[in-house]
Amino acid sequence: MPAALDIAALKKAFGNFATGITVVSTRDGAGNPVGITCNSFTSVSLKPPLVLFSLAKTAFSLSAFLRADHFGVSVLARGQEAISTRFATPSSDKWAGVSWHAWDRGSPVIGGAVAGFECRKTAVHEGGDHLLFLGEIERMESRPDRTPLVYLRSRYGHFEAEAPEADAPGEDDPPAC
Ligand SMILES: Cc1cc2nc3c(=O)[nH]c(=O)nc-3n(C[C@H](O)[C@H](O)[C@H](O)COP(=O)(O)O)c2cc1C
Protein backbone atom coordinates (compact mmCIF):
# COMPACT_ATOMS: atom_id res chain seq x y z
CA MET A 1 0.00 0.00 0.00
CA PRO A 2 1.44 3.44 -0.91
CA ALA A 3 2.69 5.26 2.19
CA ALA A 4 0.34 8.20 1.50
CA LEU A 5 -2.73 5.98 1.90
CA ASP A 6 -3.51 5.48 5.53
CA ILE A 7 -6.45 3.22 6.31
CA ALA A 8 -8.37 5.68 8.47
CA ALA A 9 -8.18 8.35 5.75
CA LEU A 10 -9.18 5.80 3.11
CA LYS A 11 -12.22 4.71 5.15
CA LYS A 12 -13.20 8.35 5.56
CA ALA A 13 -12.86 8.98 1.82
CA PHE A 14 -14.97 5.88 1.01
CA GLY A 15 -17.56 7.20 3.47
CA ASN A 16 -18.31 10.12 1.13
CA PHE A 17 -20.08 7.70 -1.18
CA ALA A 18 -23.71 7.55 -0.03
CA THR A 19 -25.25 4.08 -0.06
CA GLY A 20 -28.38 2.29 0.99
CA ILE A 21 -28.17 -0.25 3.78
CA THR A 22 -28.96 -3.93 3.35
CA VAL A 23 -28.94 -7.02 5.47
CA VAL A 24 -27.60 -9.91 3.40
CA SER A 25 -28.64 -13.23 4.81
CA THR A 26 -28.55 -16.98 4.42
CA ARG A 27 -28.78 -20.17 6.52
CA ASP A 28 -25.98 -21.98 8.27
CA GLY A 29 -25.45 -25.74 8.12
CA ALA A 30 -27.99 -26.27 10.91
CA GLY A 31 -30.61 -24.16 9.11
CA ASN A 32 -30.29 -21.17 11.43
CA PRO A 33 -30.65 -17.70 9.86
CA VAL A 34 -27.39 -15.77 9.41
CA GLY A 35 -27.08 -12.14 8.35
CA ILE A 36 -24.84 -9.10 8.26
CA THR A 37 -25.36 -5.39 7.67
CA CYS A 38 -23.94 -4.63 4.26
CA ASN A 39 -23.57 -1.44 2.24
CA SER A 40 -21.41 -2.97 -0.50
CA PHE A 41 -24.53 -4.40 -2.14
CA THR A 42 -24.93 -3.23 -5.73
CA SER A 43 -26.88 -4.10 -8.84
CA VAL A 44 -24.73 -5.52 -11.64
CA SER A 45 -26.89 -6.61 -14.58
CA LEU A 46 -30.52 -6.59 -15.71
CA LYS A 47 -30.36 -9.50 -18.21
CA PRO A 48 -29.62 -11.69 -16.38
CA PRO A 49 -30.58 -9.92 -13.13
CA LEU A 50 -27.34 -9.98 -11.13
CA VAL A 51 -26.29 -8.36 -7.87
CA LEU A 52 -23.15 -8.48 -5.77
CA PHE A 53 -21.93 -7.77 -2.28
CA SER A 54 -18.53 -8.02 -0.68
CA LEU A 55 -18.00 -9.88 2.56
CA ALA A 56 -14.97 -9.55 4.85
CA LYS A 57 -12.88 -12.71 5.02
CA THR A 58 -12.89 -12.25 8.79
CA ALA A 59 -16.72 -12.29 9.08
CA PHE A 60 -18.04 -14.97 11.38
CA SER A 61 -20.80 -15.72 8.85
CA LEU A 62 -18.38 -16.24 5.92
CA SER A 63 -18.57 -20.04 6.08
CA ALA A 64 -22.39 -19.96 5.91
CA PHE A 65 -22.35 -17.74 2.79
CA LEU A 66 -19.67 -19.94 1.17
CA ARG A 67 -21.66 -23.08 1.87
CA ALA A 68 -25.13 -21.82 0.84
CA ASP A 69 -26.62 -21.99 -2.68
CA HIS A 70 -28.83 -18.95 -2.07
CA PHE A 71 -28.74 -15.66 -0.21
CA GLY A 72 -31.30 -13.01 0.61
CA VAL A 73 -31.01 -9.22 0.50
CA SER A 74 -33.21 -6.88 2.55
CA VAL A 75 -32.98 -3.20 1.64
CA LEU A 76 -33.62 -1.43 4.95
CA ALA A 77 -36.19 1.33 5.38
CA ARG A 78 -35.99 4.63 7.23
CA GLY A 79 -36.52 3.76 10.89
CA GLN A 80 -34.60 0.47 10.69
CA GLU A 81 -31.29 1.91 11.97
CA ALA A 82 -31.45 -0.39 15.03
CA ILE A 83 -31.62 -3.41 12.73
CA SER A 84 -28.57 -2.15 10.86
CA THR A 85 -26.67 -1.76 14.14
CA ARG A 86 -27.77 -5.17 15.36
CA PHE A 87 -26.65 -7.00 12.20
CA ALA A 88 -23.33 -5.11 12.22
CA THR A 89 -22.56 -6.43 15.70
CA PRO A 90 -21.15 -9.97 15.98
CA SER A 91 -23.61 -12.05 18.01
CA SER A 92 -25.16 -15.49 17.94
CA ASP A 93 -28.50 -13.84 18.72
CA LYS A 94 -28.90 -11.31 15.88
CA TRP A 95 -32.35 -12.60 14.84
CA ALA A 96 -33.97 -12.72 18.30
CA GLY A 97 -37.04 -10.46 18.28
CA VAL A 98 -36.55 -9.46 14.62
CA SER A 99 -39.52 -9.87 12.29
CA TRP A 100 -38.49 -11.87 9.21
CA HIS A 101 -39.84 -14.37 6.74
CA ALA A 102 -38.23 -16.99 4.52
CA TRP A 103 -38.25 -17.00 0.73
CA ASP A 104 -38.91 -20.19 -1.24
CA ARG A 105 -35.27 -21.32 -0.99
CA GLY A 106 -35.10 -20.44 2.69
CA SER A 107 -33.25 -17.11 2.54
CA PRO A 108 -34.43 -14.86 5.39
CA VAL A 109 -35.81 -11.41 4.53
CA ILE A 110 -36.36 -8.72 7.17
CA GLY A 111 -39.95 -7.55 7.71
CA GLY A 112 -40.63 -3.91 6.81
CA ALA A 113 -37.78 -3.72 4.27
CA VAL A 114 -38.13 -1.42 1.24
CA ALA A 115 -37.15 -4.24 -1.12
CA GLY A 116 -36.18 -7.87 -0.80
CA PHE A 117 -34.42 -10.29 -3.13
CA GLU A 118 -33.67 -13.98 -3.09
CA CYS A 119 -30.62 -14.80 -5.16
CA ARG A 120 -28.96 -17.96 -6.40
CA LYS A 121 -25.25 -17.65 -5.75
CA THR A 122 -23.49 -17.72 -9.12
CA ALA A 123 -19.87 -16.85 -8.33
CA VAL A 124 -17.44 -15.89 -5.57
CA HIS A 125 -14.42 -13.78 -6.51
CA GLU A 126 -11.32 -12.69 -4.62
CA GLY A 127 -11.33 -9.05 -3.53
CA GLY A 128 -8.39 -8.32 -1.26
CA ASP A 129 -9.50 -8.72 2.35
CA HIS A 130 -13.07 -9.38 1.11
CA LEU A 131 -14.78 -11.95 -1.12
CA LEU A 132 -17.24 -10.76 -3.79
CA PHE A 133 -20.48 -12.75 -3.93
CA LEU A 134 -22.46 -12.59 -7.17
CA GLY A 135 -26.02 -13.81 -7.32
CA GLU A 136 -28.86 -14.05 -9.81
CA ILE A 137 -32.19 -12.75 -8.51
CA GLU A 138 -34.83 -15.48 -8.51
CA ARG A 139 -37.58 -13.59 -6.69
CA MET A 140 -38.10 -10.09 -5.39
CA GLU A 141 -40.48 -7.72 -3.67
CA SER A 142 -40.44 -3.93 -3.73
CA ARG A 143 -42.34 -1.42 -1.53
CA PRO A 144 -42.17 2.02 -3.16
CA ASP A 145 -44.42 3.40 -0.40
CA ARG A 146 -41.54 3.00 2.09
CA THR A 147 -38.56 5.36 2.39
CA PRO A 148 -35.09 3.79 2.04
CA LEU A 149 -32.47 4.20 4.76
CA VAL A 150 -29.35 6.02 3.53
CA TYR A 151 -25.80 5.86 4.95
CA LEU A 152 -23.23 8.60 4.47
CA ARG A 153 -20.13 9.56 6.47
CA SER A 154 -20.96 6.99 9.19
CA ARG A 155 -24.43 8.46 9.72
CA TYR A 156 -27.93 7.31 8.85
CA GLY A 157 -30.47 9.52 7.12
CA HIS A 158 -32.81 9.63 4.17
CA PHE A 159 -32.75 11.20 0.73
CA GLU A 160 -34.57 14.40 -0.23
CA ALA A 161 -34.68 14.93 -4.01
CA GLU A 162 -33.91 18.47 -5.14
CA ALA A 163 -36.34 18.28 -8.05
CA PRO A 164 -39.90 16.98 -7.90
CA GLU A 165 -40.38 13.46 -9.25
CA ALA A 166 -42.15 14.76 -12.39
CA ASP A 167 -38.80 16.27 -13.51
CA ALA A 168 -36.95 12.97 -13.24
CA PRO A 169 -36.38 10.96 -16.45
CA GLY A 170 -39.31 8.67 -17.17
CA GLU A 171 -39.31 5.10 -18.41
CA ASP A 172 -40.02 6.26 -21.97
CA ASP A 173 -37.17 8.78 -22.04
CA PRO A 174 -34.02 7.74 -23.91
CA PRO A 175 -31.24 6.49 -21.63
CA ALA A 176 -28.46 8.96 -20.87
CA CYS A 177 -25.19 7.99 -22.59
C1 LIG B 1 -23.22 0.56 7.60
C2 LIG B 1 -22.43 -0.73 7.60
C3 LIG B 1 -22.13 -1.37 6.40
C4 LIG B 1 -21.39 -2.55 6.40
N1 LIG B 1 -21.11 -3.16 5.21
C5 LIG B 1 -20.37 -4.29 5.19
C6 LIG B 1 -20.07 -4.93 3.95
O1 LIG B 1 -20.46 -4.49 2.88
N2 LIG B 1 -19.35 -6.09 3.98
C7 LIG B 1 -18.87 -6.61 5.17
O2 LIG B 1 -18.22 -7.64 5.14
N3 LIG B 1 -19.14 -6.01 6.36
C8 LIG B 1 -19.89 -4.87 6.39
N4 LIG B 1 -20.18 -4.28 7.57
C9 LIG B 1 -19.67 -4.88 8.81
C10 LIG B 1 -20.50 -6.10 9.22
O3 LIG B 1 -21.89 -5.81 9.26
C11 LIG B 1 -20.06 -6.59 10.60
O4 LIG B 1 -18.68 -6.82 10.59
C12 LIG B 1 -20.78 -7.84 11.04
O5 LIG B 1 -20.66 -7.95 12.42
C13 LIG B 1 -20.28 -9.10 10.41
O6 LIG B 1 -21.04 -10.12 11.00
P1 LIG B 1 -20.44 -11.53 11.51
O7 LIG B 1 -18.99 -11.32 11.86
O8 LIG B 1 -21.31 -11.87 12.67
O9 LIG B 1 -20.60 -12.44 10.34
C14 LIG B 1 -20.93 -3.09 7.60
C15 LIG B 1 -21.23 -2.45 8.82
C16 LIG B 1 -21.97 -1.28 8.82
C17 LIG B 1 -22.30 -0.62 10.12
Side-chain angles (χ1 to χ4, degrees), residues 51-117:
V51 298
L52 74 72
F53 69 94
S54 76
L55 181 58
K57 289 178 179 171
T58 52
F60 180 75
S61 48
L62 179 70
S63 58
F65 282 99
L66 284 174
R67 180 191 161 278
D69 294 332
H70 286 76
F71 62 84
V73 181
S74 304
V75 180
L76 297 188
R78 187 180 180 191
Q80 293 189 307
E81 292 88 339
I83 291 188
S84 175
T85 302
R86 174 186 281 240
F87 281 88
T89 309
S91 159
S92 57
D93 207 19
K94 287 181 181 178
W95 296 84
V98 174
S99 151
W100 62 277
H101 61 274
W103 285 112
D104 303 21
R105 302 303 303 269
S107 309
V109 172
I110 307 271
V114 169
F117 307 98

Side-chain angles (χ1 to χ4, degrees), residues 8 20 35 45 48 65 70 86 88 91 104 119 123-124 148 153 155 158 173:
S45 160
F65 282 99
H70 286 76
R86 174 186 281 240
S91 159
D104 303 21
C119 308
V124 180
R153 295 181 172 168
R155 298 185 66 182
H158 66 282
D173 293 339

Side-chain angles (χ1 to χ4, degrees), residues 109-149:
V109 172
I110 307 271
V114 169
F117 307 98
E118 184 167 55
C119 308
R120 182 177 56 82
K121 191 174 76 187
T122 55
V124 180
H125 296 290
E126 276 292 325
D129 55 9
H130 283 57
L131 288 176
L132 310 182
F133 286 76
L134 268 166
E136 179 163 350
I137 296 172
E138 291 189 338
R139 47 200 66 81
M140 58 164 277
E141 60 187 12
S142 179
R143 308 281 170 116
D145 54 306
R146 294 181 182 155
T147 303
L149 186 60

Side-chain angles (χ1 to χ4, degrees), residues 1-65:
M1 181 155 146
L5 276 185
D6 91 84
I7 296 246
L10 185 59
K11 275 177 100 169
K12 220 169 176 177
F14 283 163
N16 290 302
F17 185 64
T19 67
I21 292 285
T22 69
V23 171
V24 291
S25 55
T26 191
R27 302 282 187 138
D28 67 14
N32 300 311
V34 167
I36 69 150
T37 299
C38 172
N39 70 342
S40 58
F41 168 79
T42 191
S43 55
V44 173
S45 160
L46 288 173
K47 291 181 188 173
L50 298 178
V51 298
L52 74 72
F53 69 94
S54 76
L55 181 58
K57 289 178 179 171
T58 52
F60 180 75
S61 48
L62 179 70
S63 58
F65 282 99

